[in-house]
Structure formats: structure tokens, C-alpha cells
Amino acid sequence: MSADELKEYLATAIELAKEVGPAFKDGFWRKGRFSNTSDFAAEDKLGNEADCVTAVDRYIEKTIFARLRQIYPDHKLVGEESTAESGNGYVITDDPTWIVDPVDGTNNFVHHFPYTGISIGLAIGKEPVVGVIYLPILDELYTAARGLGAFVNDQKLPLIQSPALTSPTSLSQCALVSEHGSDRSLKTMQSRLGSFTRLLTDKQYGGGCLQNLRITGGACPDLTLVAKGSAELYWECGPHVWDFAAGVVILLESGGAVFDGAGWWGTDIPEDERVPKPLNIWNRKIVAVRYIPDLPGNPGSGRELQRQLVKELLEIVEDIDYTPDGVQ
């Protein structure tokens, strides 16, 4: 994959995100074609009261997919709304695959909370190589392609640079973004809340004494916060590939790192096997850590600190079992 090809794909994703931006804003403010609330139609998704879909989700995904089919007729398409409605039964291949979330953070969108946006990612060989996240209400456009850097509104990421950008050595110096998810079964909520409790609890009681826990309501804004340097970590079990495929590219190109998010709490995994594993974007478990500068006189220490923080986190969060996306 040449740099020119990646630039072409990135340009396409940017163009598409900007093209549907006005419809996104109209829907958010209930104006224009979405001024009639009966037409807006926020519905429970597949009978789940905690998850919803709107006419805007469907309109934006349909528009983006129609354009992609014109431009790249041989490429595969995976989208939140069409995939969810078809039972998530697509086959994952090495072919170029566009992964789209038309409205990430739909609950935020419905409740007029601005941390919501459009996510367009491209995977080749099952790995994400292009990512665009557009948060229209915040007027933030995040763009990245493998090896070409990451930017927000043409400013290079991370936005926060040294010396303001610190090199944390423990969770007690970190802010974490995560989500409560749409699976509200008692077992899942007990597991998730147990992990949050341990993350926040003081170290003398076996916790991580996390400095701050934030829930913004969407994986895309979560990952942009980490890429900017406004949060140290993002961890979640349960999001789908369309929630974070684009964000992974942006995070990695900003100097961050991503790993498998399956926690070790309550398991019998031997200590010598408790090492952060590579991320598989289709497995719905992710932990991401921001760029960390090297400590003075210690080249490479930033990467070591990233893995150290992830290991500390995974030691005290519990894995939640989810069916992987697609058929691998």
C-alpha cells in the first residue's frame, strides 16, 4: 500500500464526512429535513431500550455507502445500522473494507450532548489503515492514515505537547475514559461496575486509585480525547468494530498504543503470561493509551510506560465475554 493510495482513501473519507456533516447538524438540532420529530423517530435498536437508532443514522450510512459503492465498487462495506439489522453475519476478509458508524454516540445525539460524531475507517488485511472522525457540533475533524500522522483541524496530534504532556508512571496519575455500554443485564453491569470500583479505589484497598474516570457516551470522542492528550487511557469491553476502527488509526498515528482489552481480574492466568496482547479490532475488547514522552535520558521509556500502565489496568478489570464481530 503506497502513501499515495492511502492519501487517496483518506481524502475520500474526509470528503464523505464533510458531505454528510450538514445532515448530522440538522438532525442534532432537529432542523431542516429532521425538524418534524415524528420523522426523526428515535427508536429502540433491536428491542434494547438502552440503545437507539434514528432516521439520521440510517440516512448518513445510506449516503456514505452509496458514494463508496460508486467510487470503489470492489470494496467491502461494514456499517453499524445495516450490519446490526442483518444480525452481524458478515464475513471478514483481507479486502479493503470500509467500516462506518454514521452517528457514534447516538444517545448523546438524541439528548443534544455534543460528544457525538461520524466515524469512517478503512481496513486492509483486517487491519485499520485510514481513520476519520468528524464531531460536527464541536467542529472537530480528526484525520489519520498509516504512516502519515494524525491531525485535528490540520493541527498535528497530540495537541498537548511536552512539557505540559506528562509521563505518568501509575494509574493514580491518569484519567481514564470508558463507557457503561448498552448491555444492561445484571451480570454485565455488576462486572463493569466492579471494574470501575477497583479502578477508583485507593491502592491500600487493592485498587488503582485512578485519578479520574470519564464517561462521555461514545467510543469515538473517547479515542479523540486520548489522541489529543486530554486523557491517558481508554478501556472498554463490548464496543463494535465501527465504534473504534477509525479511532485506532488516529490514536496510533498520534503516538499512542492499543492492546487487547480483556482483563485479568478473577482469572488464573499465570503472572508470567500477564502481558498486554495485540489488539484484534474484531474482538470487541480494547485498551488504548496516549502518547507518553520518554523520561529524560531514557530513550524508549515512553513505550515502556505505555505497556506498564496497560498492565496495571488489566490486572484490576474483569473481562466480559462478547461475540466477536463478523465471521473470521
Side-chain angles (χ1 to χ4, degrees):
M1 178 69 54
S2 70
D4 286 342
E5 288 176 299
L6 286 174
K7 288 177 182 177
E8 176 201 323
Y9 293 142
L10 178 60
T12 296
I14 292 170
E15 179 183 346
L16 292 175
K18 289 181 176 178
E19 180 180 328
V20 297
F24 187 101
K25 292 179 182 178
D26 279 353
F28 186 89
W29 297 117
R30 313 296 194 270
K31 300 190 305 182
R33 76 186 77 202
F34 303 110
S35 59
N36 186 323
T37 54
S38 63
D39 290 339
F40 181 75
E43 308 165 11
D44 295 345
K45 184 183 291 185
L46 301 181
N48 183 352
E49 293 179 320
D51 201 1
C52 63
V53 61
T54 73
V56 185
D57 297 75
R58 294 190 176 108
Y59 172 82
I60 289 178
E61 183 172 306
K62 183 178 178 181
T63 300
I64 291 175
F65 277 8
R67 294 276 284 110
L68 286 171
R69 288 189 182 100
Q70 290 177 341
I71 303 168
Y72 306 114
D74 296 329
H75 287 194
K76 302 292 191 299
L77 304 176
V78 173
E80 176 175 13
E81 306 317 326
S82 56
T83 301
E85 291 175 1
S86 66
N88 197 24
Y90 59 92
V91 176
I92 300 167
T93 73
D94 288 331
D95 296 336
T97 302
W98 292 91
I99 304 167
V100 175
D101 191 342
V103 180
D104 181 74
T106 305
N107 275 308
N108 286 354
F109 183 88
V110 168
H111 292 285
H112 307 285
F113 191 64
Y115 285 87
T116 175
I118 304 151
S119 175
I120 304 174
L122 173 66
I124 298 177
K126 303 185 182 73
E127 296 293 332
V129 296
V130 168
V132 169
I133 292 175
Y134 182 29
L135 308 180
I137 311 306
L138 298 177
D139 192 29
E140 294 179 349
L141 177 65
Y142 295 83
T143 63
R146 182 175 290 182
L148 301 178
F151 302 84
V152 55
N153 295 348
D154 296 323
Q155 298 183 68
K156 189 170 178 57
L157 294 172
L159 271 186
I160 303 166
Q161 297 284 343
S162 301
L165 193 67
T166 59
S167 301
T169 58
S170 73
L171 288 181
S172 61
Q173 299 170 320
C174 295
L176 171 78
V177 281
S178 189
E179 300 299 330
H180 46 60
S182 59
D183 177 359
R184 302 300 171 80
S185 65
L186 181 59
K187 181 180 179 181
T188 296
M189 292 312 301
Q190 287 176 333
S191 173
R192 202 178 299 276
L193 292 174
S195 292
F196 288 164
T197 298
R198 288 187 295 276
L199 284 167
L200 291 166
T201 299
D202 194 280
K203 289 187 175 182
Q204 66 177 311
Y205 304 112
C209 199
L210 190 71
Q211 201 164 67
N212 190 289
L213 172 63
R214 300 170 182 154
I215 296 176
T216 72
C220 286
D222 288 349
L223 282 164
T224 64
L225 287 169
V226 179
K228 280 196 295 189
S230 297
E232 278 67 45
L233 293 154
Y234 162 68
W235 167 74
E236 192 177 358
C237 287
H240 290 278
V241 66
W242 48 78
D243 293 313
F244 57 78
V248 163
V249 186
I250 294 165
L251 190 281
L252 289 172
E253 288 299 311
S254 73
V258 293
F259 301 93
D260 180 84
W264 305 323
W265 178 265
T267 71
D268 56 2
I269 298 173
E271 177 61 32
D272 60 355
E273 295 180 18
R274 296 193 175 200
V275 294
K277 297 179 180 178
L279 173 69
N280 180 333
I281 64 168
W282 311 94
N283 278 354
R284 304 182 62 188
K285 300 170 185 183
I286 178 174
V287 57
V289 56
R290 70 159 167 85
Y291 165 72
I292 296 180
D294 289 339
L295 296 168
N298 191 353
S301 58
R303 289 295 185 188
E304 293 175 11
L305 287 172
Q306 287 176 329
R307 297 182 69 86
Q308 176 181 314
L309 291 174
V310 169
K311 185 177 187 300
E312 187 178 350
L313 181 147
L314 293 177
E315 290 281 4
I316 54 176
V317 298
E318 183 178 356
D319 184 30
I320 302 174
D321 189 32
Y322 283 97
T323 302
D325 282 326
V327 178
Q328 301 184 58

